[in-house]
Amino acid sequence: MSSPTTQFATSGTMGIYQQSHQVNMWGNPFRADTSPNTCVSAVLEDDGKLDNKSEDNSNGTIGSSKKYDQEASKPVEKVLRRLAQNREAARKSRLRKKAYVQQLETSRLKLTQIEQELGRARQQGAYVGGVDTSNLGLSGTVNSGVAAFEMEYGHWVEEQNRRTSELRNALQASVSDIELRMLVENGMNHYYELFRMKGTVAKSDVFYLMSGMWKTSAERFFLWIGGFRPSELLKVLKPHIEPLSDQQLLEVYNLQHSSQQAEDALSQGMDKLQNSLSLALAANSLPEGNYVSNMSAAMVELEALVSFVDQADHLRQQTLQQMSRILTTRQAARGLLALGDYFQRLRALSSLWAARPREAS
């Protein structure tokens, strides 16, 4: 049996052992976690993981940022490109508009120049009380029928020159009679078109047509009731269509004689019309300035003037048609060529006369 001292010692030793064991139980884990080697390696390992994660995150952020910048830059480039295209389109539009405005201004200046030339030309025509009333209305505007005729006649002259050159080339090349006949018929129809144009403008302003202001100065010198004398024209053509057979000579002589008789009859009718118009204007004494109230008789006389112009053009057309029936195809072609050359020479003479040197006054 142990003594109390022994028991106490034993119990004390057991208590110390138990306490020491408890300390070891709690100390081992602690030492394992907090040992210098284990702690540093763990921290470095953890730091490495954190650094790797941060690098991954930063790389991901940079990559996504680049992608975003690229995606964001695409719309900006598209907008800039569109703005540049719009600026270029606007610049071209301004240039086109400027050119169009300049063209309009040029056309306006040309129209003003034409109107001035028409005004100067009409000053040489008929005047009433010092004011040209033939082509100017109360507003001072140009007669639309006259303006249209002058444009058409300008084109007619250009086409006539072309046809004359075509006839000359055909005769020099000795083309077939069939081809030559077509050129002759086209040339005849071209003159008929002129007569139609003159009939239209005569209804619009017969004084303008009678004055011959649509022709050159040399052509006006030979003017007869708004055109050429058929009998005089036959004299011009005859040397160019020879040799003629006896039958042709007889028929040309008869045509020239009948044309002369018709011309004389029309000229006598024009003289009577002029005399009647003069008597109508001087018939009654009118108060000063009252020139419109009693002009009905004079207006009736003037309406007959359009009929005289139509009859004169009809005589010209009939003379051309009769000549084409009398002559052979080649003779008719030479005649039309001579006629075209004759009018070209008259226009050339007018240009030379207008451009002649003038002595200073």
Side-chain angles (χ1 to χ4, degrees):
M1 186 173 180
S2 61
S3 63
T5 304
T6 304
Q7 292 177 357
F8 175 79
T10 303
S11 63
T13 301
M14 292 295 295
I16 293 171
Y17 174 79
Q18 290 176 354
Q19 291 178 356
S20 176
H21 180 67
Q22 290 176 355
V23 171
N24 291 335
M25 289 176 63
W26 290 103
N28 289 334
F30 181 77
R31 282 195 302 269
D33 293 338
T34 58
S35 64
N37 294 333
T38 304
C39 181
V40 172
S41 64
V43 171
L44 291 176
E45 189 174 344
D46 292 338
D47 288 343
K49 293 178 180 179
L50 292 173
D51 290 339
N52 290 336
K53 289 181 179 180
S54 64
E55 287 178 3
D56 292 339
N57 291 337
S58 66
N59 289 335
T61 303
I62 293 173
S64 62
S65 176
K66 289 181 178 179
K67 290 181 180 179
Y68 177 80
D69 291 340
Q70 291 176 356
E71 293 296 327
S73 64
K74 288 181 180 179
V76 174
E77 292 174 358
K78 190 174 182 180
V79 170
L80 292 176
R81 186 166 60 252
R82 187 175 299 170
L83 289 174
Q85 292 174 350
N86 291 342
R87 285 194 296 270
E88 181 64 17
R91 186 184 68 83
K92 291 181 179 179
S93 178
R94 288 193 297 270
L95 291 176
R96 287 194 298 268
K97 182 178 180 181
K98 184 178 180 181
Y100 179 70
V101 172
Q102 290 176 348
Q103 184 179 3
L104 289 178
E105 181 64 18
T106 303
S107 300
R108 186 187 67 81
L109 292 175
K110 288 183 179 180
L111 180 60
T112 301
Q113 183 180 2
I114 291 173
E115 290 178 350
Q116 291 174 352
E117 291 175 357
L118 287 175
R120 287 193 296 268
R122 282 193 294 271
Q123 289 177 2
Q124 304 175 23
Y127 278 77
V128 178
V131 179
D132 185 1
T133 60
S134 59
N135 294 321
L136 295 177
L138 296 177
S139 62
T141 57
V142 178
N143 186 310
S144 59
V146 170
F149 172 78
E150 289 191 344
M151 291 183 62
E152 289 181 337
Y153 182 68
H155 294 315
W156 187 91
V157 171
E158 293 178 359
E159 180 65 15
Q160 176 68 7
N161 294 336
R162 187 192 68 80
R163 291 178 183 276
T164 301
S165 177
E166 191 176 23
L167 262 177
R168 180 179 291 106
N169 294 335
L171 287 170
Q172 292 176 351
S174 299
V175 298
S176 65
D177 286 352
I178 297 177
E179 294 178 83
L180 209 56
R181 171 54 61 183
M182 291 179 61
L183 292 177
V184 169
E185 290 179 355
N186 290 336
M188 298 284 288
N189 290 331
H190 192 58
Y191 281 103
Y192 303 159
E193 176 64 16
L194 175 61
F195 300 147
R196 183 200 63 79
M197 291 161 49
K198 289 171 63 181
T200 301
V201 74
K203 295 180 177 64
S204 178
D205 192 340
V206 67
F207 284 122
Y208 165 79
L209 184 66
M210 290 287 294
S211 68
M213 301 311 297
W214 47 285
K215 284 183 169 291
T216 61
S217 55
E219 289 176 295
R220 289 198 299 272
F221 181 72
F222 296 97
L223 195 68
W224 174 77
I225 313 182
F228 57 84
R229 283 182 176 270
S231 59
E232 292 295 328
L233 199 60
L234 291 176
K235 295 178 183 179
V236 172
L237 298 182
K238 190 174 179 181
H240 299 278
I241 58 180
E242 294 177 343
L244 296 172
S245 65
D246 293 340
Q247 181 65 30
Q248 286 178 323
L249 284 172
L250 179 61
E251 291 179 353
V252 169
Y253 172 80
N254 290 335
L255 178 60
Q256 187 173 351
H257 182 68
S258 61
S259 296
Q260 183 66 61
Q261 287 182 328
E263 290 170 17
D264 291 343
L266 286 174
S267 296
Q268 291 174 6
M270 285 289 296
D271 291 340
K272 291 181 179 179
L273 175 62
Q274 189 177 25
N275 185 51
S276 299
L277 182 60
S278 178
L279 292 175
L281 291 173
N284 299 319
S285 298
L286 299 174
E288 183 179 356
N290 187 13
Y291 301 130
V292 181
S293 60
N294 198 15
M295 291 287 177
S296 57
M299 292 296 292
V300 171
E301 297 292 341
L302 287 181
E303 290 177 358
L305 187 58
V306 177
S307 176
F308 276 98
V309 172
D310 290 340
Q311 292 181 58
D313 276 344
H314 180 71
L315 177 60
R316 297 181 185 104
Q317 181 170 338
Q318 289 294 319
T319 302
L320 288 175
Q321 288 177 345
Q322 290 296 329
M323 280 296 293
S324 66
R325 294 190 185 100
I326 295 172
L327 304 177
T328 65
T329 299
R330 294 197 174 271
Q331 287 173 334
R334 293 202 303 269
L336 281 177
L337 176 60
L339 187 59
D341 280 339
Y342 177 71
F343 289 124
Q344 283 183 345
R345 291 173 185 176
L346 285 176
R347 289 190 286 267
L349 178 62
S350 299
S351 299
L352 291 173
W353 176 255
R356 73 190 186 282
R358 294 176 176 81
E359 295 181 0
S361 57

